[in-house]
Amino acid sequence: MIDIQSQKDHRKINIQKVGVKGIKYPIIVLDKEAGTQPVNASINMYVNLPHSFKGTHMSRFIEVLNEFRGEINIRTFHTILEKVREKLHAESAHMEIEFPYFIEKTAPVSGAKSLMEYRCLFSGCNAESQKDFLVGIVVPVTTVCPCSKEISSMGAHNQRSFVTVKVRFRRFFWLEDLIRLVETSASGEVYSLLKRVDEKYVTEHGYENPMFVEDVVRNVAERLNGNTNLTWYSVEAENFESIHNHNAYAYVEKE
Amino acid sequence: MIDIQSQKDHRKINIQKVGVKGIKYPIIVLDKEAGTQPVNASINMYVNLPHSFKGTHMSRFIEVLNEFRGEINIRTFHTILEKVREKLHAESAHMEIEFPYFIEKTAPVSGAKSLMEYRCLFSGCNAESQKDFLVGIVVPVTTVCPCSKEISSMGAHNQRSFVTVKVRFRRFFWLEDLIRLVETSASGEVYSLLKRVDEKYVTEHGYENPMFVEDVVRNVAERLNGNTNLTWYSVEAENFESIHNHNAYAYVEKE
Amino acid sequence: MIDIQSQKDHRKINIQKVGVKGIKYPIIVLDKEAGTQPVNASINMYVNLPHSFKGTHMSRFIEVLNEFRGEINIRTFHTILEKVREKLHAESAHMEIEFPYFIEKTAPVSGAKSLMEYRCLFSGCNAESQKDFLVGIVVPVTTVCPCSKEISSMGAHNQRSFVTVKVRFRRFFWLEDLIRLVETSASGEVYSLLKRVDEKYVTEHGYENPMFVEDVVRNVAERLNGNTNLTWYSVEAENFESIHNHNAYAYVEKE
Amino acid sequence: MIDIQSQKDHRKINIQKVGVKGIKYPIIVLDKEAGTQPVNASINMYVNLPHSFKGTHMSRFIEVLNEFRGEINIRTFHTILEKVREKLHAESAHMEIEFPYFIEKTAPVSGAKSLMEYRCLFSGCNAESQKDFLVGIVVPVTTVCPCSKEISSMGAHNQRSFVTVKVRFRRFFWLEDLIRLVETSASGEVYSLLKRVDEKYVTEHGYENPMFVEDVVRNVAERLNGNTNLTWYSVEAENFESIHNHNAYAYVEKE
């Protein structure tokens, strides 16, 4: 059977990335408490394609995923990419893995336990001369507006805010630790289960710690600056403003 | 050229709805202030298909839309559906039109003007024995939690909330009037542009008018009960809770 | 601490549904091959609220979920709803659970194995006088256009199509069996991993079995009509047309 | 009234971007045929914030938008950003504007006319020392698989594909021209309205012009290389594969 993909191409155009996008796949990630956690991921995989080849062999990406089934995580990321490079005869390989991750939280006063979902990302590339790996998390928090609090005789507008942090790092770290750092850098934390005593606490605690999106990204950045394991970071905060139908947003990355 | 769609089908299964979904189309809707407003809609159109026919003629839906280009609105809705029935030899026809609609709002103290977007829906069907038409709106508002306010020594959690109202009615009405009714039934209104004096006002006003999702749907329902032009309604409110990562929700419809 | 939710309400408006929406939760569903399968679900839970009460107690929904952690599936669905009714002193309770579900498929010629994702839904309500439970699946398939094939001297347009089936039933059944029924009712099946011999097979097989969306819903409906375990069904097919930027759609439900 | 945002900040962290996201706004863009076209846009606006200031003044972004209402387009983009810089006392300003754009297309044989929607993007920044402006388009096309055609005795799998092109350029150009270039670089074009004679044509034309995603991005890149008005481009193609539940993807940018 003829191999169309391996035919010569004459347009002299190198393709930086070619591959498969939106593969839904169950993976097992490392969990600080439980050892492992099964999650439903969405995966993109690419390689480069030199100008002289007509096409890549898309099915091989899936074959590599299947080889690593049950072992796709932060520790095996580059091993998978090396396998992709080998199997597709490519100089560089890229992968992005997005997944939800659950952590049990304890309500601040009642001690009631519940599960919170965080969106996570592994993204990286692997080439002879260059390796890159980035971990991302999206953490929901509460922000209370300092301006609204200051100018109003009572109350202050507040809202759910999403803080996205991406980091490059030297040694393995736990997602849980980065998530905790973010959760404790905003006006307040978000929970799945709060009893009335907890609701009183989070309301008062938030009101006493008003923060703009600017404050949140700076608080997180300041603490990340103190972490010698990190070689790079970016921090975004996006407020689903309770008084507007658009969002407030701030972005800072390590300079 | 053979007409496959018109061939006989022997499976004896009537199809309730067959047609086209997700047609993007610019339409011009009626605007209380400006006369008309051009908007970018997404349209679904269906007919029934009796069991003896193999298929419908999908291109005719688009032809009907093109005939009414520039005249697709609340007043022509049933005329369009009748044309669809005629052109597709169908007993019943259905259409759903979703679009954003913009209204200029005035900030409560400064008087600063800005545009707010509301999501709207026209949905209906047309058959010999039955005509139905429903108008829907989605209105962003602010809700301040009565429980949080009551139990806390200061502050109260609050958030953006979306109120969805659908109505069946006797005589033409303006979207603007239904939207105003909803905006004035929550803890506070949402604006695109607020100066500091306005932010003080909306913060204090919201704090003085705490409401659960239950309160919002009841406030809207109570006022719709008093409107003799309406033959049916449903009201939903969904809070993007500032202290949780899930939403609070309430639904009521005319009994 | 005062219980605002339990206060009297005087607006005389019963609320049909009030509760929590979009709770992300890891659940373990029943798997025909493996016994169980851990998946990441999104859950909505509601109760009715009689007109005399101001509000419901939202945190109790989460408490019930936590009680059933690890045991939320098709068999325990009504037990959970009964617990919700009891704990929230409600007459009726509703729940919707959406989740991805993975099944290993075998390529038709090479026998290569890979995982396919299907979107699933459990939805139901529970009241003294009425119990309802509905299972839904979304199955990706291929459709080849019979008209395009017939009128063209070569080729035929084809596309990914999503078939959504919802059923009410008497006795437990496996999701796998309903999914297989749908996969074998279209022009062809969709796979994650196909080698070249498989791609030849699915191309030729699809070309030999052209179907409109109308054909797909009728094929599925005809086979569901023959299943005495089902008391009701609906079938939708939506083609992501390769020659249009909108979709073709058909819907049929048991008459 | 105290101006919290103007207070000193002591964390010594410059913020690269702070502003408003997801503002829905009706704008009027330039249309090659009709002169202008009213569309519903979604807009993000940011400025930098030096480390010594606590916060930015979010309402001023909306005020600038209001000043330019009816005149927000490719020609005024940098003027708007300069106004933002001035009004917010910022060194750099950024804006992203996404909108749908409609062009009337003519079916290839019948000459039937219909409207097609394309997603467009204006994105740029403005600082003393640096100005950037990028225009993007997303164009739906058809791709027919060359491998499937070659190895199969009849038929070939094909699907809707989205081609995203972003360009930096020297002189004004029409969106219409860039869109046409893309539409004529794939296996076939996508239309809203095709009569049977057209469907025969597009089926046969597509079958005679099979292309991988790799071919599509190379065809577009080759033609963009020949356009001296462009200083940079990127081209992506994403196939909604009819035989898989994931997508095939290729990306190339000017080297």
Side-chain angles (χ1 to χ4, degrees):
Chain A
M1 208 173 268
I2 192 167
D3 182 353
I4 296 277
Q5 282 87 343
S6 296
Q7 290 178 342
K8 279 274 168 202
D9 197 275
H10 302 286
R11 281 165 292 193
K12 296 194 167 31
I13 295 174
N14 295 313
I15 294 180
Q16 281 95 340
K17 287 185 188 177
V18 55
V20 287
K21 228 180 152 167
I23 304 160
K24 308 303 183 199
Y25 212 81
I27 66 171
I28 295 169
V29 295
L30 304 175
D31 181 313
K32 195 178 180 181
E33 295 302 318
T36 57
Q37 179 174 151
V39 298
N40 299 150
S42 181
I43 302 179
N44 307 331
M45 301 173 88
Y46 315 114
V47 291
N48 77 308
L49 184 72
H51 65 81
S52 55
F53 293 102
K54 183 170 172 66
T56 198
H57 292 84
M58 302 272 182
S59 64
R60 296 184 191 169
F61 292 105
I62 311 294
E63 289 175 327
V64 175
L65 270 191
N66 287 349
E67 273 182 54
F68 285 87
R69 190 169 161 190
E71 296 167 276
I72 300 168
N73 58 52
I74 203 170
R75 291 195 197 276
T76 60
F77 195 90
H78 273 296
T79 312
I80 298 170
L81 285 182
E82 278 156 22
K83 191 75 185 185
V84 167
R85 281 177 56 198
E86 180 194 321
K87 198 148 181 173
L88 283 113
H89 311 297
E91 289 146 357
S92 66
H94 309 257
M95 185 161 58
E96 294 150 8
I97 306 180
E98 284 185 43
F99 58 93
Y101 186 71
F102 289 87
I103 300 178
E104 191 173 72
K105 289 195 71 168
T106 303
V109 180
S110 71
K113 296 196 182 299
S114 63
L115 287 171
M116 274 284 294
E117 185 213 44
Y118 306 88
R119 305 293 312 176
C120 299
L121 167 74
F122 297 156
S123 172
C125 70
N126 186 295
E128 188 71 48
S129 57
Q130 187 210 3
K131 286 188 182 25
D132 190 29
F133 185 51
L134 185 149
V135 169
I137 54 170
V138 181
V139 181
V141 298
T142 300
T143 55
V144 177
C145 179
C147 173
S148 168
K149 175 184 173 179
E150 185 63 34
I151 63 181
S152 305
S153 62
M154 54 196 170
H157 79 80
N158 53 72
Q159 52 269 315
R160 200 189 297 167
S161 181
F162 288 92
V163 183
T164 302
V165 177
K166 294 176 185 165
V167 298
R168 291 193 173 90
F169 51 95
R170 293 191 173 85
R171 296 172 310 280
F172 175 85
F173 71 94
W174 291 103
L175 291 173
E176 286 83 349
D177 297 340
L178 189 56
I179 288 168
R180 277 314 290 160
L181 184 151
V182 175
E183 287 190 318
T184 52
S185 297
S187 295
E189 300 184 41
V190 162
Y191 298 84
S192 294
L193 176 54
L194 293 172
K195 301 305 294 178
R196 230 169 312 153
V197 287
D198 304 309
E199 188 170 352
K200 174 180 166 61
Y201 174 85
V202 299
T203 302
E204 295 172 354
H205 178 80
Y207 190 79
E208 285 163 358
N209 291 279
M211 289 187 202
F212 292 125
V213 279
E214 293 95 323
D215 292 312
V216 175
V217 297
R218 277 174 169 153
N219 282 354
V220 174
E222 200 172 31
R223 294 169 71 181
L224 297 180
N225 280 340
N227 183 334
T228 56
N229 188 36
L230 304 182
T231 58
W232 179 86
Y233 64 77
S234 70
V235 184
E236 294 168 272
E238 186 167 356
N239 272 1
F240 289 73
E241 300 276 300
S242 65
I243 60 170
H244 293 304
N245 198 25
H246 56 259
N247 298 341
Y249 175 85
Y251 175 88
V252 62
E253 64 175 52
K254 191 180 175 105
E255 289 186 317
Chain B
M1 208 173 266
I2 192 167
D3 182 353
I4 296 277
Q5 283 86 344
S6 297
Q7 290 177 343
K8 280 274 168 201
D9 198 275
H10 302 286
R11 283 165 291 193
K12 296 196 168 31
I13 295 175
N14 295 313
I15 294 181
Q16 281 94 340
K17 287 184 188 178
V18 54
V20 287
K21 227 179 154 167
I23 303 160
K24 308 302 183 199
Y25 211 82
I27 66 171
I28 296 170
V29 295
L30 304 175
D31 181 313
K32 195 178 180 181
E33 294 302 318
T36 57
Q37 179 174 150
V39 297
N40 299 149
S42 181
I43 303 179
N44 307 331
M45 301 173 88
Y46 316 113
V47 290
N48 77 308
L49 183 72
H51 65 82
S52 54
F53 293 103
K54 183 170 171 65
T56 197
H57 292 84
M58 302 272 183
S59 65
R60 296 184 191 169
F61 292 104
I62 311 293
E63 289 176 328
V64 175
L65 269 191
N66 287 350
E67 273 182 54
F68 284 87
R69 190 170 161 188
E71 296 166 276
I72 301 168
N73 60 51
I74 203 170
R75 292 195 197 278
T76 59
F77 195 90
H78 273 295
T79 313
I80 299 170
L81 284 183
E82 278 156 21
K83 190 75 185 184
V84 168
R85 281 177 57 197
E86 180 195 321
K87 198 147 181 173
L88 283 114
H89 311 297
E91 289 147 357
S92 67
H94 309 258
M95 185 161 58
E96 293 151 8
I97 306 180
E98 283 186 42
F99 58 93
Y101 186 72
F102 289 87
I103 300 178
E104 192 173 72
K105 288 194 71 167
T106 303
V109 180
S110 71
K113 294 194 183 302
S114 63
L115 287 170
M116 275 285 293
E117 184 213 45
Y118 307 89
R119 305 294 310 179
C120 300
L121 167 74
F122 297 156
S123 173
C125 69
N126 185 295
E128 188 71 49
S129 57
Q130 186 210 3
K131 285 188 183 24
D132 189 30
F133 185 50
L134 184 151
V135 168
I137 54 170
V138 181
V139 181
V141 298
T142 300
T143 54
V144 177
C145 179
C147 172
S148 167
K149 175 183 173 179
E150 185 63 34
I151 62 180
S152 306
S153 62
M154 54 197 169
H157 79 81
N158 53 74
Q159 51 269 316
R160 199 188 298 166
S161 181
F162 288 91
V163 183
T164 302
V165 177
K166 294 176 184 164
V167 297
R168 292 194 172 88
F169 52 95
R170 293 191 174 84
R171 295 172 312 279
F172 176 85
F173 70 94
W174 292 103
L175 291 173
E176 287 83 348
D177 297 340
L178 188 57
I179 289 168
R180 277 312 291 160
L181 184 152
V182 174
E183 287 190 317
T184 52
S185 299
S187 295
E189 299 184 41
V190 162
Y191 298 84
S192 293
L193 176 54
L194 292 172
K195 301 306 293 177
R196 229 167 315 151
V197 287
D198 304 309
E199 188 170 350
K200 174 180 166 60
Y201 174 84
V202 299
T203 303
E204 295 171 353
H205 178 80
Y207 190 79
E208 286 163 358
N209 292 278
M211 290 187 202
F212 291 126
V213 280
E214 292 94 322
D215 292 312
V216 175
V217 298
R218 278 174 169 152
N219 282 353
V220 174
E222 199 172 31
R223 293 170 71 182
L224 297 181
N225 280 340
N227 184 334
T228 56
N229 188 36
L230 305 182
T231 58
W232 179 86
Y233 64 77
S234 69
V235 184
E236 293 168 272
E238 185 167 357
N239 271 2
F240 289 74
E241 300 277 300
S242 65
I243 61 169
H244 293 302
N245 199 24
H246 56 257
N247 298 341
Y249 175 85
Y251 175 88
V252 62
E253 65 175 51
K254 190 179 176 105
E255 287 185 319
Chain C
M1 208 173 270
I2 192 168
D3 182 353
I4 296 278
Q5 282 87 343
S6 298
Q7 290 177 343
K8 281 273 169 203
D9 198 274
H10 303 286
R11 281 165 291 192
K12 296 195 169 30
I13 296 174
N14 296 314
I15 294 181
Q16 281 94 339
K17 287 184 188 178
V18 55
V20 287
K21 227 179 152 167
I23 304 159
K24 307 305 183 199
Y25 211 82
I27 66 170
I28 295 169
V29 294
L30 304 175
D31 181 313
K32 195 177 180 182
E33 295 302 318
T36 58
Q37 180 174 149
V39 297
N40 299 151
S42 182
I43 302 179
N44 307 331
M45 301 173 88
Y46 315 113
V47 290
N48 76 309
L49 184 71
H51 66 82
S52 55
F53 293 102
K54 183 170 172 67
T56 197
H57 292 85
M58 302 273 184
S59 64
R60 296 183 191 170
F61 292 104
I62 311 292
E63 289 175 328
V64 174
L65 269 192
N66 287 349
E67 272 183 55
F68 284 87
R69 190 171 161 189
E71 296 166 276
I72 301 167
N73 59 51
I74 204 170
R75 292 195 197 278
T76 60
F77 195 90
H78 273 295
T79 313
I80 298 171
L81 284 182
E82 277 157 23
K83 190 75 185 184
V84 167
R85 282 176 55 197
E86 179 195 321
K87 198 148 181 172
L88 283 115
H89 311 297
E91 289 146 358
S92 67
H94 308 258
M95 184 160 58
E96 293 150 9
I97 307 180
E98 283 184 43
F99 57 92
Y101 186 71
F102 289 87
I103 300 178
E104 192 173 69
K105 287 194 70 168
T106 303
V109 180
S110 71
K113 296 197 183 299
S114 63
L115 287 170
M116 275 284 293
E117 185 213 44
Y118 306 88
R119 306 293 311 177
C120 300
L121 167 74
F122 297 156
S123 173
C125 71
N126 186 297
E128 188 71 50
S129 57
Q130 186 210 4
K131 284 184 184 29
D132 189 29
F133 185 51
L134 185 150
V135 169
I137 54 170
V138 182
V139 181
V141 297
T142 300
T143 54
V144 177
C145 179
C147 172
S148 168
K149 175 183 173 180
E150 185 63 35
I151 63 181
S152 306
S153 61
M154 53 198 170
H157 79 79
N158 53 74
Q159 50 269 317
R160 199 188 299 165
S161 181
F162 287 92
V163 183
T164 302
V165 177
K166 294 176 185 166
V167 297
R168 291 192 173 90
F169 52 95
R170 293 192 172 87
R171 297 173 309 280
F172 176 85
F173 70 95
W174 292 103
L175 291 172
E176 286 83 350
D177 297 339
L178 189 57
I179 288 168
R180 277 313 290 160
L181 184 152
V182 175
E183 287 190 319
T184 53
S185 299
S187 295
E189 300 184 41
V190 161
Y191 299 85
S192 293
L193 176 55
L194 292 172
K195 301 307 292 178
R196 232 169 311 152
V197 287
D198 304 309
E199 188 170 351
K200 174 180 166 60
Y201 174 84
V202 299
T203 302
E204 295 171 356
H205 179 79
Y207 190 78
E208 286 163 357
N209 291 278
M211 290 187 203
F212 291 127
V213 280
E214 293 94 323
D215 292 313
V216 175
V217 298
R218 278 174 170 154
N219 283 352
V220 175
E222 200 173 30
R223 293 169 72 181
L224 297 181
N225 279 341
N227 183 334
T228 57
N229 187 36
L230 305 182
T231 58
W232 177 87
Y233 64 77
S234 69
V235 184
E236 292 168 273
E238 186 167 356
N239 272 1
F240 288 74
E241 299 277 298
S242 66
I243 61 168
H244 293 303
N245 199 24
H246 56 258
N247 298 340
Y249 175 85
Y251 175 88
V252 62
E253 64 176 51
K254 192 181 175 102
E255 286 185 320
Chain D
M1 209 173 268
I2 191 168
D3 182 353
I4 297 277
Q5 282 86 344
S6 298
Q7 290 177 344
K8 280 275 170 202
D9 198 275
H10 303 286
R11 282 165 290 192
K12 296 194 169 31
I13 296 174
N14 296 313
I15 293 181
Q16 282 94 336
K17 288 185 186 176
V18 55
V20 287
K21 227 179 154 168
I23 303 159
K24 307 304 182 199
Y25 211 81
I27 67 171
I28 296 170
V29 294
L30 304 175
D31 182 314
K32 196 178 181 181
E33 295 301 319
T36 57
Q37 179 174 149
V39 296
N40 299 151
S42 181
I43 303 178
N44 307 331
M45 301 173 87
Y46 316 113
V47 291
N48 76 308
L49 184 71
H51 67 82
S52 56
F53 294 102
K54 183 170 171 67
T56 198
H57 292 84
M58 302 273 183
S59 64
R60 296 184 192 170
F61 292 104
I62 311 293
E63 289 175 329
V64 176
L65 269 192
N66 287 348
E67 274 182 55
F68 284 87
R69 189 169 162 189
E71 296 166 277
I72 300 168
N73 58 53
I74 202 170
R75 291 194 196 278
T76 59
F77 195 91
H78 273 295
T79 314
I80 298 171
L81 284 183
E82 277 156 22
K83 191 74 185 186
V84 167
R85 281 177 55 197
E86 181 195 320
K87 198 147 181 174
L88 283 113
H89 311 296
E91 290 146 357
S92 67
H94 308 258
M95 184 160 59
E96 293 149 9
I97 306 181
E98 283 185 42
F99 57 93
Y101 186 71
F102 289 86
I103 300 178
E104 192 173 70
K105 288 194 72 167
T106 303
V109 180
S110 71
K113 294 195 184 298
S114 63
L115 288 170
M116 274 284 295
E117 185 213 44
Y118 307 89
R119 305 292 311 177
C120 299
L121 167 74
F122 297 157
S123 173
C125 71
N126 186 296
E128 189 71 49
S129 57
Q130 186 212 4
K131 284 184 183 30
D132 189 29
F133 185 50
L134 184 150
V135 169
I137 54 170
V138 182
V139 180
V141 298
T142 300
T143 54
V144 177
C145 179
C147 173
S148 169
K149 175 182 173 180
E150 186 63 35
I151 62 180
S152 306
S153 61
M154 53 196 170
H157 78 80
N158 53 74
Q159 51 268 317
R160 200 188 297 166
S161 180
F162 288 92
V163 183
T164 301
V165 177
K166 294 175 184 166
V167 298
R168 292 193 173 90
F169 52 95
R170 294 191 172 85
R171 297 171 311 280
F172 176 83
F173 71 95
W174 292 103
L175 290 173
E176 286 82 349
D177 297 340
L178 189 56
I179 288 169
R180 277 312 291 159
L181 185 152
V182 175
E183 287 190 318
T184 52
S185 299
S187 295
E189 299 185 40
V190 162
Y191 298 84
S192 293
L193 176 54
L194 292 172
K195 301 306 293 178
R196 231 170 311 154
V197 287
D198 303 310
E199 188 169 351
K200 174 180 167 59
Y201 174 84
V202 300
T203 303
E204 294 172 355
H205 179 80
Y207 190 78
E208 285 162 359
N209 292 277
M211 289 187 202
F212 291 127
V213 279
E214 293 95 321
D215 292 312
V216 175
V217 298
R218 278 175 170 152
N219 282 353
V220 174
E222 200 172 31
R223 293 169 72 181
L224 297 180
N225 279 340
N227 183 334
T228 57
N229 188 37
L230 304 182
T231 58
W232 178 87
Y233 64 77
S234 69
V235 183
E236 293 168 272
E238 186 168 357
N239 272 2
F240 289 74
E241 300 276 298
S242 65
I243 60 168
H244 293 303
N245 198 25
H246 56 258
N247 298 340
Y249 174 86
Y251 174 89
V252 62
E253 65 175 51
K254 192 180 175 107
E255 287 186 320

